[in-house]
Amino acid sequence: MLNVRRSWSLLRRLGCRTEVQTSRTSSCSSGVFLSDAGLVLKSQSTDVFQNLALEDWIDANVDLQRRGVLLLWRNRPAVVIGRHQNPWSECDLPAMRRRGIPVARRRSGGGTVFHDLGNLNLTFFASKKDYDRRRNLKVVVEALRRVSPGLAVHATERFDILLNGHLKISGTASRLSRKSSYHHCTLLHSADRSALSAVLRPSCPGIHSNATPSVPSPVANLLDHAPTLQWEELLDGLVHQYNAEFGLSSASSLVDPTDESTFPGISRMEAELRSWDWTFGKTPKFSVQTGLELEDSSARCSAQLHMEVKSGRIQSCDLQVPAAWLPVRLSGELTDSLVGQRFCPQRAAAGVASLLRAQSGELQSRLHILCDAVISVMG
Amino acid sequence: MAACGLFRSLSSSAATALPLLSRPAPLSALRLACKPSVRRTVASSSRLSAALKYTDKHEWVRVEDGGIGTVGISNFAQEALGDVVYCGLPEVGTQLAQHDEFGALESVKAASELYSPLTGEVVEVNTLLADSPGLVNKSCYKDGWLIKMTIANPAEVDALMDEPAYERYIRSIED
């Protein structure tokens, strides 16, 4: 059974790094959290940015030298890319926009994952000294085997968890900071697999980049292979196994990552994670090279587009459009108007608007077709 | 006691299976070529500034001519990290205060934050690392340097560990 505690009391004890650990025999109502070297938290939020901010906050503020923390969380549909990935190549941004699915960049490494309410996220916080992904995954695998005996699950060298030898149900990523570490992993219980495949593909062709790539894998949901495994039962099993593995007796606590009084500074962390500068601006330098097919009622042609994008902004743009389709002067004005802009369809559209207004007739219509083709490359 | 893993974290205090810290070969590379006719004692030579200083985060700083500091990570750090697959480095012009996060090295182990050893401005970033992040492992003191920065406060350099102190520090955390 979920044992709810007032988060302010438990976190007051753990929040400040300089606070001395109080004695085991404290009679305070949240005494159970003081006694052991562990803590289990469950986030009340299903917002990916709030939850990522919560991870940042715990990593920065909780003293992990003598105790670890396990955080359990899930998000409304979102795509989460790794620290050094390229969102345009990892996911279909227009498809996500249509479905209201945001993209978030996390601070740990690794590849791209799709989150929804059927995916459980586990974050194991520990000191750098106690950083041990294999041990953490052992917790997950053994918990699964307990709640669903006979389930064929195992952890791989890459720290994935596979079902039946080949179906991925969990992926891992981690972050090491000054004194602390966190290792987080997904766990597919009942995610929407068709939504997953619809969004985990590139926004546009022709991207060349040295950003860290994802390793695509066929996935499966636990529920499809263990139909009686309920969500709460899964969580209870994981908490139980975490306690067993680390010799603890922590009950879990609900926490609200929007509560600035419990987590001072967390809303600033959330704002940073939501920002364009973090999500898109941190994309490693890349180039886009692709052909554009242009057609109107009287003619069609092929054009070549080459853009260099750095920090999410267009550094250079080269457009080879046959002069018979559109005067070179106009193609040149288009590329000039794009340089320095964010690699973003809305910004680009705004940037070319005045250029379009200055034309008329067939020139305007062809320029419009060209603009649309270029903008569609931006996701 | 944490279960034995394939590697240890950068500031592990547990017994570790890491190989002994090898004397950094680049020491010989640091001995700058002096004109044969000029003799300088070590104590008075301004070239001494080319010696490495180290932080407790296993970064090194080498002060170059013109008061620019080159920054990289030590052999101990690159071994602990494992194969680096991506170097996330700041833009030229970024202002850094000492201890600020300025980027991250991604390896199979994790994304490990980089902390600025000094206060200053980034004047150059090692662009070779974009295509060859493995230089950080193969040549951590030379071709695998990360950034160059101005040194706003030379006292910060003085306070860093010299090589013997750093080697003592490594031994103390390996024990």
Side-chain angles (χ1 to χ4, degrees), chain A residues 148-259:
Chain A
S148 192
L151 201 63
V153 283
H154 78 280
T156 69
E157 297 271 295
R158 271 190 75 238
F159 305 101
D160 288 342
I161 298 179
L162 300 184
L163 177 62
N164 298 341
H166 67 288
L167 297 169
K168 183 169 170 178
I169 58 168
S170 167
T172 265
S174 27
R175 179 177 189 241
L176 299 176
S177 34
R178 233 172 234 122
K179 285 189 162 53
S180 53
S181 72
Y182 62 76
H183 158 218
H184 49 202
C185 63
T186 51
L187 190 55
L188 291 173
H189 172 266
S190 47
D192 181 346
R193 287 179 46 199
S194 72
L196 186 155
S197 4
V199 300
L200 291 188
R201 58 178 170 219
S203 296
C204 46
I207 291 183
H208 302 276
S209 159
N210 66 343
T212 54
S214 294
V215 177
S217 314
V219 297
N221 277 313
L222 281 168
L223 198 60
D224 293 337
H225 295 260
T228 58
L229 179 58
Q230 295 305 301
W231 182 266
E232 285 303 327
E233 193 191 341
L234 174 62
L235 263 60
D236 287 349
L238 288 161
V239 174
H240 171 94
Q241 198 59 36
Y242 178 75
N243 283 326
E245 176 66 33
F246 293 97
L248 313 167
S249 55
S250 324
S252 60
S253 227
L254 275 184
V255 290
D256 176 5
T258 63
D259 182 354

Side-chain angles (χ1 to χ4, degrees), chain A residues 113-368:
Chain A
V113 285
F114 173 74
H115 286 193
D116 70 11
L117 296 174
N119 168 68
L120 175 65
N121 299 302
L122 300 94
T123 309
F124 298 84
F125 296 88
S127 65
K128 279 167 86 161
K129 171 171 67 66
D130 292 325
Y131 173 69
D132 190 339
R133 290 174 293 178
R134 203 155 289 294
R135 192 177 188 190
N136 298 335
L137 291 183
K138 183 166 161 258
V139 168
V140 179
V141 167
E142 292 188 351
L144 289 173
R145 290 176 185 158
R146 275 175 163 266
V147 298
S148 192
L151 201 63
V153 283
H154 78 280
T156 69
E157 297 271 295
R158 271 190 75 238
F159 305 101
D160 288 342
I161 298 179
L162 300 184
L163 177 62
N164 298 341
H166 67 288
L167 297 169
K168 183 169 170 178
I169 58 168
S170 167
T172 265
S174 27
R175 179 177 189 241
L176 299 176
S177 34
R178 233 172 234 122
K179 285 189 162 53
S180 53
S181 72
Y182 62 76
H183 158 218
H184 49 202
C185 63
T186 51
L187 190 55
L188 291 173
H189 172 266
S190 47
D192 181 346
R193 287 179 46 199
S194 72
L196 186 155
S197 4
V199 300
L200 291 188
R201 58 178 170 219
S203 296
C204 46
I207 291 183
H208 302 276
S209 159
N210 66 343
T212 54
S214 294
V215 177
S217 314
V219 297
N221 277 313
L222 281 168
L223 198 60
D224 293 337
H225 295 260
T228 58
L229 179 58
Q230 295 305 301
W231 182 266
E232 285 303 327
E233 193 191 341
L234 174 62
L235 263 60
D236 287 349
L238 288 161
V239 174
H240 171 94
Q241 198 59 36
Y242 178 75
N243 283 326
E245 176 66 33
F246 293 97
L248 313 167
S249 55
S250 324
S252 60
S253 227
L254 275 184
V255 290
D256 176 5
T258 63
D259 182 354
E260 185 78 13
S261 61
T262 305
F263 303 106
I266 199 170
S267 45
R268 188 183 39 82
M269 290 173 163
E270 181 192 331
E272 197 192 335
L273 288 161
R274 277 188 203 278
S275 71
W276 187 94
D277 281 339
W278 172 255
T279 309
F280 295 98
K282 285 290 187 201
T283 305
K285 193 166 71 161
F286 66 98
S287 70
V288 181
Q289 283 166 248
T290 190
L292 305 172
E293 295 307 308
L294 308 171
E295 184 176 352
D296 69 5
S297 52
S298 51
R300 74 149 72 104
C301 71
S302 299
Q304 281 300 312
L305 174 68
H306 182 165
M307 276 197 249
E308 300 285 326
V309 183
K310 186 172 171 201
S311 304
R313 285 183 190 273
I314 299 167
Q315 275 211 302
S316 69
C317 183
D318 182 70
L319 200 48
Q320 298 297 320
V321 184
W325 170 265
L326 196 69
V328 169
R329 171 185 61 85
L330 282 182
S331 313
E333 282 184 41
L334 172 56
T335 55
D336 288 346
S337 76
L338 289 172
V339 171
Q341 296 277 0
R342 286 183 180 177
F343 187 73
C344 156
Q346 286 89 0
R347 290 291 173 108
V352 305
S354 54
L355 188 63
L356 281 172
R357 276 197 297 273
Q359 307 307 315
S360 57
E362 191 186 59
L363 278 187
Q364 185 191 60
S365 136
R366 286 192 168 181
L367 184 58
H368 198 109

